[in-house]
Amino acid sequence: VYEDPHVPNSFGLLFNPQKPEPAPHHEKIRFNRNLGDYNPHTGEVDMFYPQSRWIDILQNDFAARMDWCVSDFKSANHAPVVQVEGELNRAVNAGSSILLKGMAKDLDGNKVSYHWWQYREAGTSDKVVEIENPDLSSTQITIPEDAEKGSTFHIILQVTDNGTPALTRFQRVILQIQ
């Protein structure tokens, strides 16, 4: 199944448009109760963690947007622009290693930090990839030997600048076992 890693910050799969009763002509967003994310604080899948895990990032983004309303361009912080070199949907073999190269540009000249991580809840495999040097711009991902054909691993490059407020952007790479 093709998944679109180009959709900016496409973590919206956690919410579904649904038609409420009794006014079917209005649409509103309701929480998708069939999805949850692994909460590292509790060690369990939590249906509320999909929102709370992003709160700091969302609040900082909102604060920056408010700054844009009252400050000139140079006085406000702007988010880094993030890219991963090469295809964002990749066919890979179980047991293989893949080099991922990330790049980020900050319009304000702020220092940026990189962090690669596996978004386990979005992938279809229950296996864990090995991520070498997750806090560098480039990383080596090793796929488990026993990964099943057709399963997917979602690898996220998260980049945060050191401006005020600190702003974060993402790029997703989807690895599908062939």
Side-chain angles (χ1 to χ4, degrees):
V1 173
Y2 179 81
E3 300 177 59
D4 190 356
H6 294 90
V7 176
N9 302 335
S10 59
F11 302 108
L13 60 94
L14 303 171
F15 297 89
N16 287 343
Q18 298 179 358
K19 296 186 187 308
E21 298 298 329
H25 60 283
H26 291 104
E27 279 199 353
K28 72 179 191 181
I29 303 297
R30 292 187 185 164
F31 182 68
N32 183 345
R33 298 193 184 283
N34 297 322
L35 294 173
D37 276 357
Y38 174 78
N39 183 334
H41 307 292
T42 64
E44 298 177 1
V45 174
D46 182 340
M47 65 183 265
F48 297 105
Y49 192 65
Q51 298 98 297
S52 62
R53 80 186 307 171
W54 312 110
I55 290 296
D56 292 341
I57 294 166
L58 292 169
Q59 290 294 332
N60 284 353
D61 192 78
F62 183 73
R65 290 170 188 271
M66 295 301 98
D67 286 346
W68 301 343
C69 294
V70 297
S71 302
D72 62 35
F73 187 88
K74 289 182 180 180
S75 300
N77 191 25
H78 302 85
V81 177
V82 180
Q83 280 185 284
V84 173
E85 189 177 287
E87 293 295 320
L88 299 177
N89 271 295
R90 301 181 189 197
V92 299
N93 295 314
S96 64
S97 289
I98 297 94
L99 177 65
L100 296 177
K101 294 182 181 182
M103 299 162 269
K105 179 179 180 182
D106 191 89
L107 298 174
D108 307 307
N110 293 319
K111 182 180 175 187
V112 296
S113 60
Y114 295 85
H115 184 67
W116 295 91
W117 52 280
Q118 179 181 354
Y119 192 17
R120 293 183 62 194
E121 299 82 359
T124 60
S125 178
D126 61 351
K127 309 293 182 206
V128 178
V129 300
E130 181 184 326
I131 302 176
E132 190 176 303
N133 299 315
D135 295 323
L136 297 178
S137 61
S138 295
T139 189
Q140 192 81 18
I141 305 289
T142 303
I143 306 298
E145 293 278 346
D146 57 348
E148 294 180 25
K149 182 177 181 176
S151 63
T152 60
F153 295 89
H154 290 236
I155 308 301
I156 306 297
L157 171 57
Q158 179 174 331
V159 177
T160 303
D161 72 13
N162 69 345
T164 302
L167 295 176
T168 302
R169 291 297 181 265
F170 307 89
Q171 181 62 69
R172 180 191 314 230
V173 178
I174 300 171
L175 307 175
Q176 184 168 26
I177 307 303
Q178 58 185 1

